[in-house]
């Protein structure tokens, strides 16, 4: 019986020793595996840190992108304002040029009209002596000769000439019996006349004419003193 008990104790001791060896072996494996686990943990931590760094780096880039976008937007708005100001300036210049052209056109028409009137007056002034000669010649015809064909023809030519001058706007200035007007009359002498008041035109020595309400030639008159 004692031998059997000793054998069992030996077996139990052997089993315990084997269990201890297995336990120690397992511990060694665990210790060997620990560096890998730590490395993995450290790798994971590094990856997390890299991700955080990446996020931290992305944030300034995003803000910088926004700043760039805002800068380009402001630049675009500035260009649009510049173009608008340029367009307004050009439109204002066009309006001013059109106004200047309209003023130039009106001024040119006035100058043209003035030049035409000046030219017409010059021609009329040259024709008036011919009219004076017609009047003098007809006034010298005797009463008995006024019905002659030649005299009648000359009288008709004179009337035609005066009609054409009147159609052009040439009119004789009224003088005899009118109050002396220095704008229309040119007094060359004074006369005594009991029938007319002082300052009244008593005699017309040379007929005056107007052209479109402007004097071409003043009437040469004698005024009552």
């Amino acid at each position: 019986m004692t031998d059997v008990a000793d054998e069992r104790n030996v077996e139990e001791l052997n089993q315990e020793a084997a269990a201890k060896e297995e336990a120690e072996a397992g511990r060694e494996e665990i210790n060997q595996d620990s560096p890998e686990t730590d490395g993995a943990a450290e790798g994971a931590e590094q990856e997390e840190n890299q991700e955080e760094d990446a996020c931290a780096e992305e944030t300034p880039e995003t803000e910088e992108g926004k700043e760039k976008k805002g800068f380009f937007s402001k630049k675009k708005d500035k260009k649009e304002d510049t173009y608008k100001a340029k367009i307004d300036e050009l439109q204002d210049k066009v309006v001013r040029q059109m106004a200047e052209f309209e003023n130039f056109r009106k001024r040119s028409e006035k100058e043209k009209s003035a030049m035409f009137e000046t030219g017409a007056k010059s021609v009329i002034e040259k024709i008036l002596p011919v009219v004076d000669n017609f009047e003098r010649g007809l006034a010298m015809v005797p009463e008995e000769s006024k019905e002659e064909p030649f005299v009648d023809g000359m009288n008709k030519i004179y009337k035609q000439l005066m009609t054409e001058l009147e159609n052009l706007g040439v009119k004789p200035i009224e003088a005899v019996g009118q109050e002396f007007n220095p704008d229309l009359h040119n007094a060359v002498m004074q006369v005594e006349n009991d029938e007319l008041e002082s300052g009244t035109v008593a005699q017309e020595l040379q007929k005056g004419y107007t052209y479109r309400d402007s004097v071409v030639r003043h009437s040469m008159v004698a005024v009552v003193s």
Side-chain angles (χ1 to χ4, degrees), residues 6-213:
D6 292 334
E7 290 177 1
R8 288 180 180 177
N9 290 329
V10 171
E11 290 177 1
E12 290 177 359
L13 290 172
N14 291 330
Q15 290 177 357
E16 289 177 0
K20 286 181 180 180
E21 290 178 358
E22 290 178 1
E24 288 177 359
R27 286 177 183 177
E28 290 178 358
E29 290 178 359
I30 290 170
N31 290 331
Q32 290 176 357
D33 294 337
S34 294
E36 294 178 358
T37 304
D38 293 338
E42 289 178 357
E45 186 177 356
Q46 289 179 356
E47 290 179 358
E48 289 178 358
N49 292 332
Q50 289 177 356
E51 289 178 357
E52 290 177 355
D53 293 338
C55 292
E57 291 177 357
E58 287 178 358
T59 302
E61 289 180 0
T62 304
E63 291 178 355
E64 185 179 356
K66 289 181 179 178
E67 290 179 358
K68 287 182 179 180
K69 186 176 180 181
F71 172 76
F72 286 117
S73 178
K74 290 180 181 178
K75 191 173 181 181
K76 183 178 180 182
D77 294 339
K78 188 175 181 180
K79 280 187 177 181
E80 289 179 354
D81 293 340
T82 303
Y83 291 150
K84 186 177 180 182
K86 190 67 175 178
I87 290 171
D88 293 339
E89 182 182 355
L90 292 174
Q91 287 178 345
D92 182 67
K93 187 178 292 185
V94 169
V95 171
R96 289 177 180 274
Q97 287 181 348
M98 290 179 67
E100 290 178 359
F101 177 77
E102 184 66 18
N103 293 332
F104 171 76
R105 186 183 65 80
K106 291 180 180 179
R107 187 169 60 252
S108 298
E109 289 180 355
K110 288 182 180 179
E111 291 177 355
K112 183 180 179 181
S113 178
M115 290 176 64
F116 176 80
E117 290 185 1
T118 302
K121 283 183 179 180
S122 178
V123 174
I124 292 168
E125 287 176 355
K126 292 178 180 180
I127 293 175
L128 291 180
V130 179
V131 175
D132 294 338
N133 291 331
F134 262 107
E135 291 176 348
R136 292 191 188 99
L138 293 173
M140 295 297 293
V141 175
E143 197 65 34
E144 63 273 10
S145 300
K146 288 184 178 180
E147 299 297 329
E148 293 181 1
F150 177 78
V151 176
D152 184 58
M154 295 300 291
N155 195 23
K156 287 180 180 179
I157 293 172
Y158 168 74
K159 288 180 179 179
Q160 183 181 5
L161 178 60
M162 295 304 296
T163 300
E164 293 300 327
L165 289 174
E166 185 177 358
N167 291 335
L168 292 173
V170 179
K171 295 180 181 179
I173 297 174
E174 295 182 5
V176 179
Q178 301 294 319
E179 184 180 358
F180 176 76
N181 184 350
D183 294 331
L184 301 175
H185 308 138
N186 182 17
V188 295
M189 60 184 297
Q190 290 182 338
V191 296
E192 298 289 337
N193 192 321
D194 296 335
E195 297 179 358
L196 299 173
E197 296 180 358
S198 177
T200 303
V201 176
Q203 184 181 359
E204 184 179 54
L205 304 176
Q206 188 181 53
K207 190 178 293 185
Y209 293 90
T210 59
Y211 171 68
R212 294 183 179 181
D213 299 328

